[in-house]
Amino acid sequence: MLIEAAKFARVVIPSPLKQPLTYAVPPSARQQISVGTRVWIPLGRRKVIGVVIELLGTTSLTEIKEIEAILDERPILDSKLIRLARWISQYYIATLGEVLTTILPSSLRPQSKRTVFARAGAFSFSDMWDEKILEALRESSRGMSFETLMRKFPGDDINRALRRLESSGAIEIRESMPGRRRRSKEANFAKPAHPDSATRLALTSEQEIALGAIADRLSHGGFETFLLHGVTGSGKTEVYLRAMEQVRESGRRSLILIPEISLTPQLIDRLNARFPGRVGVLHSALSGAERWAHWWNIARGNVDVVVGARSAVFAPLPDLGLIVVDEEHDPSYKQEEGVRYNGRDVAVVRGKLTGCPVILGSATPALESYENCLRGRYRLLEITKRIYQRPLPQIDIVDLRAESAQRKSDPAVSPAGKVDYHPLVSKRLVKALIENYQRARQSLIFLNRRGFSNFLQCNTCGHVIRCSHCSVTLTLHLKRGSLCCHHCDYRRPITDSCPECKNATLREVGVGTEQIEQSLQRIVTGARVARLDRDTSGKRGVQEKLIRSWEGGEIDILVGTQIITKGHDVSGVTLVGALLADLSLNLPDFRAAERTFQLLNQVAGRSGRGDDPGQVIVQTYAPDHYVFQYLLSHDYKGFFELELEFRRALSYPPFSRLVSFCIDGPKVADVESQAKKLAAHLRERHAANSKYRDQIEILGPAPAPIAKLRGRYRWQLLLKAKQIPALLEFANLARELLPRSRKARLHIDVDPFSML
Ligand code: ADP
Ligand code: ZN
């Protein structure tokens, strides 16, 4: 940027403010300022931090304030990330300020400490100061902090010198947390080389073909989206790793996104073995300051590979050469608050803006993604067989209706009988569990509901104990000794008597993982039973230990929720049981069948990944549902085709696009009236413009299925259209029609995932 042209700066601050603000750049700062740097600016009586998104030579504004200080010696966002931010802002109908708040680590103020290390080698210098600084650094093997360097070389523009040295490769700058003795998190960057299995696997022919297509694209350069559809245990991860190696060999970097819960120690080990000391791991347990340290290390090119969940899609990798989205169908890629972006879709757009390929991988691709292949937008790569031609597991369906009828007439398994039993573990499953245990094999039991019982209901008056803040029931957690809300985490002590009629006649309804864990301990005598779900302890160390002992074969039966379904490749597992497979089928959501099919496939896929064939027992009250028929035959394409027909008939995605509005507020009457007012205004605009009238359908308003959440009442409005441009334009109107107020707030969700 020419200094002349950098007289004014357009600055975005982290707020819903629609327009960027314009400030004058003081002459002394014109050399240093660039697009993507953070600045201190006066705003009213306050001073705030903002990000420069544009530099201008002139402005028509007259009253203009000056930037107070420039906070970064290099941009925190490069031009491509700024373009991505602009795209997100337009597509997801959010202001740039809101988008930057989403992209950047929390709190715009960094607190990390910079340490400078000298690199070995000979370098030429354009400035004698550079040589002096490098000499000083070479004398200190543990590097030097920025503060020390400032003290040693007072009066010099140390920032500029370091930038020169860094770009010539003479030094490396690392970010770390000040005053932290615990180095565990940072160790992610500096792990010693893993004693790799050095023996390189020979790829299967299907892996070979898939990799070949990707490798071709990588060597020719440019953007392309691949959908890698490979059955569970077919070696998709191996394909990603090989592609990432090729990227590194060409001096570029890769980004791999995974659902948060499949960020397992096993995957991190695999990455560390291939890219020793060059892997950055972004996980949800990082503090804001740790995130900043990672951010700068990534931006400086200190890592070759970044792995992380949804928000890692914004990792500021320079020379990005490949983006991988594993389990691309996973709902956790969708952010459900604030800016409601879909990490998978943003990954594809980022690939396009960067000009690099994107791999979406799944055993059960999202309908939208698979359809994109049929339309020629994505290129389909298939792996139809497991490695070593291992068979897919044998799946059996147990009809829970017949099971409970049979139980009543079978004295041997009744509560009064000899065999210990649980109504939700069928005879068939009990038998299989015991046999599997006797053969010293591992079993996985899946139930997508944590806690002990679903809720408490009074036998006398029928009262159900609910959350005070949400319109949902409270779940009984026996170990924790409380009734908990799974939405807002409100807790109250377990009670014996009904809060309404005061009779001691509360009974437990519904079953959770805690109860199954307890029962299986009795049913399978001697077995080591453990449980893994979100209650297992939020502490990362505890979960990691549990997963390691599961992988090490020290647990015989693992009971858990979705967490156990992802990313685990444990060869000892030969039996998987899904206890209540219809749970997700009954949600009021047009994706319920698809979600169930994906979830059960994934659970089933944990079985038989080693030398022994696997077995899966799926228990359901609706065995005739088409989901189970296609599950039995491992027929993704069959499921896809039928489901697609339903979507076409009802004109749901991928045959239409949706935008949902949620209007929420503290008073139910206000929310209702605001929602109705908004709908009426929208309908007026709709009727007045043939473009909208012809293309867009307005549904609602109506109370949301979860009518109250975290103390706020909720109403919904749904827009549906064949094409996205007119839909976004129309949805944008809503922002002006319902201004922010204390009474009601509008949340816009483009391509919504959750319909609750
Ligand atoms: P997916 O991601 O499709 O579930 P993975 O890549 O995790 O499958 O592979 C499953 C297991 O098979 C892993 O233990 C992996 O090391 C192994 N594997 C992958 N490819 C091969 C191969 N070509 N030959 C032998 N083993 C392989
Ligand atoms: Zn609640």
Side-chain angles (χ1 to χ4, degrees):
M1 171 64 61
L2 287 172
I3 298 176
E4 259 314 290
K7 278 187 179 160
F8 303 97
R10 310 239 302 150
V11 178
V12 171
I13 58 168
S15 82
L17 210 67
K18 216 161 171 186
Q19 296 300 329
L21 305 164
T22 304
Y23 285 83
V25 182
S28 61
R30 286 181 197 163
Q31 279 273 6
Q32 206 190 339
I33 199 163
S34 59
V35 170
T37 46
R38 283 170 308 165
V39 287
W40 264 116
I41 46 170
L43 184 74
R45 273 197 234 143
R46 290 181 303 148
K47 277 189 201 130
V48 298
I49 296 176
V51 178
V52 176
I53 55 145
E54 204 181 337
L55 290 169
L56 309 167
T58 54
T59 176
S60 55
L61 297 172
T62 46
E63 289 236 346
I64 205 153
K65 288 183 185 167
E66 256 191 6
I67 286 172
E68 301 237 336
I70 294 172
L71 298 175
D72 303 309
E73 95 274 12
R74 54 184 290 159
I76 53 167
L77 289 169
D78 66 19
S79 60
K80 280 169 190 153
L81 278 174
I82 290 179
R83 276 174 70 195
L84 186 67
R86 286 185 194 276
W87 179 86
I88 291 173
S89 151
Q90 277 158 16
Y91 188 85
Y92 291 105
I93 313 181
T95 67
L96 258 185
E98 290 165 330
V99 176
L100 292 189
T101 315
T102 305
I103 289 185
L104 293 170
S106 60
S107 135
L108 273 177
R109 202 190 313 247
Q111 279 147 357
S112 58
K113 174 176 163 229
R114 273 170 289 172
T115 313
V116 187
F117 298 86
R119 282 209 176 107
F123 303 93
S124 58
F125 302 98
S126 56
D127 194 303
M128 75 176 233
W129 278 112
D130 297 9
E131 197 168 354
K132 286 213 157 135
I133 293 170
L134 192 65
E135 254 168 43
L137 284 168
R138 286 211 161 129
E139 277 161 28
S140 145
S141 62
R142 295 166 68 199
M144 242 182 239
S145 73
F146 246 60
E147 291 68 31
T148 313
L149 279 167
M150 299 259 218
R151 251 181 283 123
K152 266 188 131 67
F153 301 95
D156 295 296
D157 190 345
I158 189 89
N159 269 331
R160 229 177 287 168
L162 290 176
R163 229 182 309 168
R164 280 193 303 266
L165 284 166
E166 199 185 8
S167 60
S168 69
I171 59 166
E172 179 174 333
I173 305 177
R174 285 203 205 150
E175 308 275 333
S176 60
M177 293 302 89
R180 276 221 162 204
R181 260 177 285 138
R182 211 159 48 85
R183 289 186 45 94
S184 62
K185 298 280 162 49
E186 292 157 46
N188 288 333
F189 279 109
K191 256 196 178 156
H194 193 275
D196 188 1
S197 56
T199 48
R200 257 178 116 62
L201 302 169
L203 293 184
T204 65
S205 58
E206 287 184 316
Q207 278 176 320
E208 209 57 90
I209 292 168
L211 182 64
I214 298 162
D216 233 36
R217 170 51 63 203
L218 282 172
S219 35
H220 286 96
F223 163 71
E224 181 168 10
T225 305
F226 297 95
L227 178 65
L228 179 59
H229 177 209
V231 296
T232 53
S234 61
K236 294 185 289 296
T237 312
E238 190 59 36
V239 174
Y240 310 148
L241 292 172
R242 300 276 171 119
M244 286 156 71
E245 281 173 346
Q246 184 180 339
V247 169
R248 187 194 40 187
E249 277 154 26
S250 68
R252 310 228 277 169
R253 301 185 169 82
S254 336
L255 173 60
I256 173 165
L257 303 181
I258 38 134
E260 172 78 27
I261 55 177
S262 44
L263 189 56
T264 57
Q266 202 180 34
L267 176 66
I268 296 174
D269 287 352
R270 262 171 106 176
L271 286 166
N272 273 320
R274 302 290 174 103
F275 309 95
R278 303 292 293 172
V279 181
V281 184
L282 297 174
H283 55 78
S284 62
L286 295 173
S287 69
E290 284 168 329
R291 261 170 216 286
W292 271 111
H294 275 277
W295 182 274
W296 284 118
N297 275 318
I298 294 166
R300 292 207 141 87
N302 290 349
V303 298
D304 293 327
V305 170
V306 169
V307 58
R310 183 178 59 226
S311 64
V313 72
F314 303 118
L317 285 155
D319 303 313
L320 182 60
L322 174 70
I323 307 175
V324 177
V325 184
D326 191 27
E327 312 284 10
E328 62 87 29
H329 63 277
D330 199 273
S332 73
Y333 285 120
K334 177 77 177 176
Q335 165 126 327
E336 293 290 2
E337 48 196 37
V339 181
R340 297 174 187 213
Y341 67 93
N342 185 320
R344 175 204 50 213
D345 299 339
V346 170
V348 172
V349 173
R350 187 167 179 193
K352 196 167 170 183
L353 293 177
T354 309
C356 76
V358 178
I359 309 173
L360 310 180
S362 175
T364 47
L367 243 67
E368 287 88 341
S369 301
Y370 203 79
E371 226 264 328
N372 273 331
C373 293
L374 302 187
R375 288 189 201 196
R377 284 205 200 121
Y378 297 172
R379 182 141 139 224
L380 183 65
L381 305 172
E382 290 180 300
I383 314 186
T384 58
K385 293 189 189 70
R386 283 187 162 181
I387 49 143
Y388 301 128
Q389 309 272 346
R390 278 174 189 146
L392 285 166
Q394 159 77 31
I395 302 180
D396 293 301
I397 305 283
V398 167
D399 184 345
L400 283 173
R401 296 166 306 183
E403 178 75 17
S404 57
Q406 198 191 14
R407 279 261 162 85
K408 285 189 190 115
S409 61
D410 185 348
V413 290
S414 75
K418 289 176 284 230
V419 181
D420 211 335
Y421 100 123
H422 187 282
L424 213 59
V425 187
S426 63
K427 256 172 97 172
R428 173 86 171 276
L429 183 55
V430 169
K431 187 162 169 275
L433 277 168
I434 292 173
E435 278 172 14
N436 212 40
Y437 168 61
Q438 285 166 349
R439 288 170 47 229
R441 295 287 183 270
Q442 291 171 282
S443 307
L444 202 61
I445 297 295
F446 168 70
L447 175 62
N448 217 4
R449 195 194 270 151
R450 43 198 182 99
F452 192 85
S453 288
N454 205 11
F455 57 90
L456 293 182
Q457 183 167 34
C458 176
N459 255 346
T460 312
C461 73
H463 178 74
V464 171
I465 303 189
R466 293 175 181 279
C467 177
S468 323
H469 312 285
C470 310
S471 56
V472 298
T473 55
L474 291 179
T475 307
L476 175 71
H477 286 253
L478 215 54
K479 274 210 179 121
R480 205 189 280 160
S482 60
L483 295 163
C484 305
C485 174
H486 284 183
H487 288 273
C488 73
D489 212 30
Y490 164 79
R491 291 166 195 210
R492 54 181 285 181
I494 298 173
T495 139
D496 287 331
S497 53
C498 172
E500 277 300 298
C501 71
K502 314 291 177 221
N503 284 304
T505 46
L506 287 174
R507 79 190 155 95
E508 297 162 10
V509 183
V511 178
T513 45
E514 206 181 307
Q515 189 176 135
I516 295 298
E517 178 195 17
Q518 205 185 70
S519 289
L520 288 181
Q521 258 149 9
R522 288 197 316 265
I523 295 172
V524 189
T525 326
R528 295 160 297 179
V529 183
R531 174 170 53 87
L532 183 61
D533 55 31
R534 265 201 284 149
D535 301 319
T536 300
S537 162
K539 281 194 200 130
R540 229 183 143 67
V542 178
Q543 289 205 0
E544 186 168 327
K545 221 173 128 202
L546 186 78
I547 293 171
R548 294 266 189 213
S549 36
W550 171 240
E551 287 169 0
E554 292 149 38
I555 293 169
D556 300 308
I557 301 175
L558 185 64
V559 181
T561 53
Q562 286 202 53
I563 298 190
I564 62 169
T565 67
K566 311 238 168 121
H568 302 291
D569 181 36
V570 181
S571 55
V573 180
T574 48
L575 174 65
V576 164
L579 296 190
L580 251 185
D582 346 344
L583 265 187
S584 51
L585 210 50
N586 299 323
L587 292 175
D589 185 333
F590 70 90
R591 287 196 183 88
E594 182 187 358
R595 288 289 307 124
T596 306
F597 184 75
Q598 289 164 338
L599 201 53
L600 293 175
N601 251 296
Q602 204 149 27
V603 185
R606 299 308 106 198
S607 185
R609 294 169 78 96
D611 293 331
D612 291 346
Q615 185 192 1
V616 180
I617 295 177
V618 176
Q619 306 188 145
T620 169
Y621 285 107
D624 301 325
H625 196 286
Y626 62 96
V627 159
F628 300 110
Q629 303 315 312
Y630 290 109
L631 183 72
L632 275 179
S633 49
H634 302 283
D635 184 5
Y636 172 81
K637 278 182 197 161
F639 174 80
F640 170 82
E641 276 159 22
L642 184 62
E643 183 69 16
L644 208 62
E645 280 321 301
F646 289 140
R647 299 281 176 92
R648 198 196 304 274
L650 298 168
S651 176
Y652 270 123
F655 298 102
S656 66
R657 304 297 289 268
L658 303 176
V659 171
S660 90
F661 293 145
C662 179
I663 300 101
D664 71 0
K667 290 201 184 120
V668 68
D670 288 342
V671 173
E672 177 175 350
S673 73
Q674 293 291 322
K676 286 183 171 163
K677 213 155 77 197
L678 174 65
H681 282 313
L682 280 175
R683 287 204 159 93
E684 265 171 40
R685 304 287 175 104
H686 187 255
N689 186 328
S690 68
K691 178 168 68 172
Y692 299 148
R693 213 168 48 228
D694 298 344
Q695 293 192 38
I696 300 168
E697 205 182 325
I698 305 175
L699 306 161
I706 298 180
K708 185 184 170 196
L709 193 64
R710 294 181 200 99
R712 295 177 75 84
Y713 293 89
R714 311 162 78 228
W715 274 60
Q716 278 179 348
L717 195 66
L718 194 67
L719 305 183
K720 201 176 184 186
K722 286 259 179 267
Q723 306 288 336
I724 196 88
L727 183 60
L728 291 184
E729 195 183 299
F730 188 65
N732 243 308
L733 294 175
R735 252 183 118 108
E736 273 110 62
L737 294 174
L738 187 71
R740 258 174 107 83
S741 79
R742 225 178 291 156
K743 280 185 181 169
R745 234 187 279 155
L746 174 66
H747 308 272
I748 302 178
D749 194 344
V750 178
D751 300 331
F753 211 94
S754 164
M755 295 290 163
L756 299 178

